[in-house]
Amino acid sequence: MKAMKRRYIMTVLCAGAAAAAALWCSSQSIGTAAAKYAAAPLKTTADKMTVVVDAGHGGMDGGCVSVNGVAEKGINLAIAESERDLLTVMGFEPVLTRDRDISIYDQGVEGLGEQKKSDMKNRLAIINEAENGIALSIHQNQFTDSKYSGAQMFYSRRNHSGEMLAAAMQKQFVSLLQPDNERETKPVDDELYLLDQTDTPAVMIECGFLSNPEEAALLESSDYQKKVAFTVLTGVIEFKTRN
């Protein structure tokens, strides 16, 4: 009886979260997805999974810059904060590597190079503490040719669960947000430190290209950032239901 009551409570919470997300994101495809995920796979609080949300860059490290002069770091953080809120309501346990415009290097470390190394090691430590969890590193892409657009997922070649997480994310971006996106998930080796140095299922989510004028304008808007966050949420749920 108690188990049935817990399942009922979680179903009501998830339905409410899905409805809120539908209104929040204000998109037909997103709204359809919200209805689909009303019966989310998280049945009780005992099923909570830790999700590390890493907002790439921060502080002196602005990341790439959009064609409109907007630094990547702020876009990453806005998406990560929305992601945290959605994950919380849906019953996950989100952990942000940063919740403001900072680099998380150790105190006393001097020089941009050493600060970056310290920052990355501290992000990795947070990811590695997510026992039985997953990690999402939020980033934006850039290229010399402005015609390129679309989200793309990167994962460690040696991490099979990371590959499955990347596939779930790419699928959701195509089905909910970017129907013309034909990009494939990409395996990496030691060129992406956070993915290479963890056994936690992890994916780097390049949400789009800041070098593309149309996509940059979208990624700079609060409405689209929330749509990206909800799309990522559905990717997390898709991954969890299959693992």
Side-chain angles (χ1 to χ4, degrees):
M1 182 66 69
K2 289 183 179 179
M4 289 178 64
K5 184 177 181 181
R6 285 197 299 269
R7 286 197 295 270
Y8 172 76
I9 292 171
M10 282 306 299
T11 299
V12 171
L13 287 174
C14 291
L23 293 172
W24 188 36
C25 295
S26 63
S27 164
Q28 183 176 357
S29 59
I30 295 291
T32 301
K36 173 183 176 182
Y37 292 106
L42 305 178
K43 300 301 183 184
T44 72
T45 54
D47 291 326
K48 277 191 174 183
M49 181 175 73
T50 300
V51 181
V52 177
V53 184
D54 173 49
H57 307 286
M60 293 295 291
D61 177 13
C64 63
V65 179
S66 79
V67 292
N68 303 311
V70 177
E72 174 189 357
K73 63 177 182 176
I75 297 173
N76 297 342
L77 181 59
I79 293 171
E81 289 178 325
S82 292
E83 195 64 46
R84 173 197 58 201
D85 296 343
L86 284 170
L87 287 166
T88 299
V89 174
M90 294 299 279
F92 291 94
E93 191 72 42
V95 176
L96 266 61
T97 57
R98 67 180 181 95
D99 58 5
R100 55 194 186 279
D101 184 17
I102 59 170
S103 177
I104 61 170
Y105 58 83
D106 293 331
Q107 287 189 344
V109 176
E110 297 182 356
L112 290 178
E114 291 304 311
Q115 289 173 352
K116 182 64 177 178
K117 289 179 183 178
S118 177
D119 172 84
M120 294 299 286
K121 287 181 180 179
N122 288 336
R123 291 174 194 256
L124 178 64
I126 295 171
I127 291 172
N128 285 338
E129 288 173 1
E131 187 175 353
N132 299 320
I134 64 173
L136 316 170
S137 189
I138 308 297
H139 284 262
Q140 311 304 319
N141 218 334
Q142 187 179 53
F143 196 64
T144 53
D145 192 332
S146 63
K147 71 180 181 181
Y148 293 103
S149 64
Q152 187 166 30
M153 312 301 139
F154 294 80
Y155 64 92
S156 170
R157 192 183 305 276
R158 63 179 184 80
N159 192 322
H160 178 64
S161 293
E163 180 179 5
M164 295 177 67
L165 177 59
M169 286 291 167
Q170 193 73 34
K171 173 188 172 184
Q172 293 307 106
F173 267 86
V174 172
S175 63
L176 299 182
L177 206 57
Q178 302 171 356
D180 297 327
N181 187 335
E182 298 181 351
R183 296 188 172 278
E184 297 180 354
T185 60
K186 291 195 68 174
V188 296
D189 296 303
D190 59 359
E191 63 267 30
L192 289 181
Y193 176 80
L194 290 182
L195 301 184
D196 181 63
Q197 295 295 313
T198 188
D199 292 326
T200 298
V203 60
M204 178 175 286
I205 303 172
E206 297 277 7
C207 303
F209 283 77
L210 294 181
S211 47
N212 179 285
E214 291 79 14
E215 195 159 62
L218 286 172
L219 290 164
E220 291 164 12
S221 72
S222 175
D223 180 63
Y224 191 78
Q225 289 165 1
K226 290 174 182 176
K227 291 177 182 179
V228 169
F230 182 72
T231 300
V232 171
L233 171 69
T234 67
V236 172
I237 294 173
E238 285 287 314
F239 173 79
K240 191 177 191 305
T241 58
R242 287 164 172 72
N243 293 275

